[in-house]
Amino acid sequence: MMKIRSITNLILVAAVIFISYYSSIVGINGETQATVSKGLSTDFTPAPYAFSIWGLIFVMLAVIAIKDVRLAFTQDKVGHESFNCWLTVSLVLTIGWTIVWSYLQIGWSLVVMAGIFLSLLLAVLHKNPRPVSANITLALYFGWISVALVANESAWLVDLGWVKDNGEGWLSDPSFSVMQSALSLVLFAFVLSFKSIRKGLDPAVFVYPLVGVWAYIAIMVKNGAGNPNLLVYVSAFFALILLLVTGYFGTKWNASYSANSKD
């Protein structure tokens, strides 16, 4: 059973990587992820380079999937499985999100994105022991989905026509994006407020807020050229807060990693 499960997860990782890059380069439904995102962009949307973090997430997913296959086919079975059922579910939903997003079903894409967030949360809370590399992967994946969930919600409101860029109404940039930036920080703080989540990600818990720092810097870069708006300064402040949180949890890394160095 472990062999079938590990091979299935490796195939799913390969499928996620393929469909993500195919939809980004060739496109689905005549749209690439970038063209859809550009049409629904707000000031909160990070600079394009920020999405390169997916490459790192994919590499880490491939590494732990290969490690699970190797573990499954090793007679002594030394070590712990990296994947659990909820991480598998998140991969399936990520494939589904790419398709739904490409077909411009933005409301449904938000629902699927919320499903990815919830499945990753449950993957973190799963009590079976995991190697450190798996927790690093989960922290990266979960951190970026925490940003993507708020960005997807922004795109949905743009799609509904509720957000204007002409300065009219309370849902207008940059004031709207400042609220979204604050919402993102609240989400990061809310997740980290639970001891069970911090324990589930330990010793890689510091990676989770570090992803938020990456996102806020990318927002600053996008909006900092020319005449910087309020969002630039707010993002800088929020990035500093998350950087301090990262440093706090990072101090626990050496001792925890040393205890799990074989993973």
Side-chain angles (χ1 to χ4, degrees):
M1 186 64 180
M2 183 178 176
K3 293 179 180 179
I4 295 174
R5 188 167 59 245
S6 64
I7 292 174
T8 300
N9 286 326
L10 182 60
I11 292 172
L12 278 174
V13 169
V16 167
I17 294 172
F18 172 78
I19 196 168
S20 177
Y21 282 105
Y22 183 87
S23 64
S24 297
I25 298 171
V26 179
I28 299 175
N29 189 40
E31 301 278 357
T32 65
Q33 290 191 40
T35 57
V36 177
S37 180
K38 185 176 180 181
L40 301 170
S41 179
T42 65
D43 287 351
F44 178 75
T45 307
Y49 79 84
F51 297 92
S52 64
I53 195 174
W54 275 116
L56 180 57
I57 294 170
F58 292 153
V59 168
M60 292 300 297
L61 283 170
V63 167
I64 64 173
I66 292 170
K67 287 178 69 175
D68 273 8
V69 171
R70 186 179 65 180
L71 177 64
F73 285 86
T74 301
Q75 291 184 349
D76 54 12
K77 299 287 191 299
V78 177
H80 302 296
E81 283 188 277
S82 300
F83 277 79
N84 56 53
C85 61
W86 292 111
L87 183 53
T88 302
V89 169
S90 72
L91 294 177
V92 175
L93 289 176
T94 300
I95 293 172
W97 180 89
T98 303
I99 296 172
V100 172
W101 179 262
S102 297
Y103 277 91
L104 305 179
Q105 300 298 312
I106 310 304
W108 283 110
S109 74
L110 179 58
V111 173
V112 178
M113 183 64 74
I116 299 171
F117 179 87
L118 180 59
S119 62
L120 287 173
L121 174 62
L122 292 172
V124 170
L125 294 175
H126 201 274
K127 293 183 178 180
N128 285 0
R130 291 184 296 270
V132 173
S133 56
N135 278 359
I136 294 173
T137 305
L138 274 174
L140 278 170
Y141 200 175
F142 193 32
W144 188 247
I145 291 300
S146 297
V147 175
L149 180 62
V150 178
N152 203 150
E153 176 256 341
S154 299
W156 177 57
L157 293 178
V158 172
D159 187 55
L160 291 177
W162 289 14
V163 180
K164 303 176 183 179
D165 58 4
N166 56 6
E168 298 179 1
W170 66 279
L171 287 180
S172 60
D173 273 333
S175 57
F176 168 73
S177 291
V178 169
M179 290 187 290
Q180 295 301 99
S181 184
L183 177 61
S184 181
L185 182 69
V186 168
L187 181 59
F188 273 93
F190 179 75
V191 168
L192 289 170
S193 68
F194 289 94
K195 184 178 180 180
S196 55
I197 296 176
R198 298 196 305 272
K199 184 178 179 181
L201 288 175
D202 191 60
V205 61
F206 74 94
V207 176
Y208 178 74
L210 194 59
V211 176
V213 176
W214 169 264
Y216 280 123
I217 290 175
I219 293 170
M220 290 165 54
V221 169
K222 178 186 175 183
N223 294 281
N227 184 24
N229 58 40
L230 178 62
L231 182 59
V232 174
Y233 305 106
V234 170
S235 297
F237 179 67
F238 289 168
L240 177 61
I241 292 175
L242 288 179
L243 191 60
L244 292 173
V245 172
T246 299
Y248 171 75
F249 288 116
T251 57
K252 301 180 180 181
W253 166 262
N254 288 334
S256 299
Y257 182 75
S258 296
N260 297 276
S261 58
K262 292 184 179 180
D263 292 331

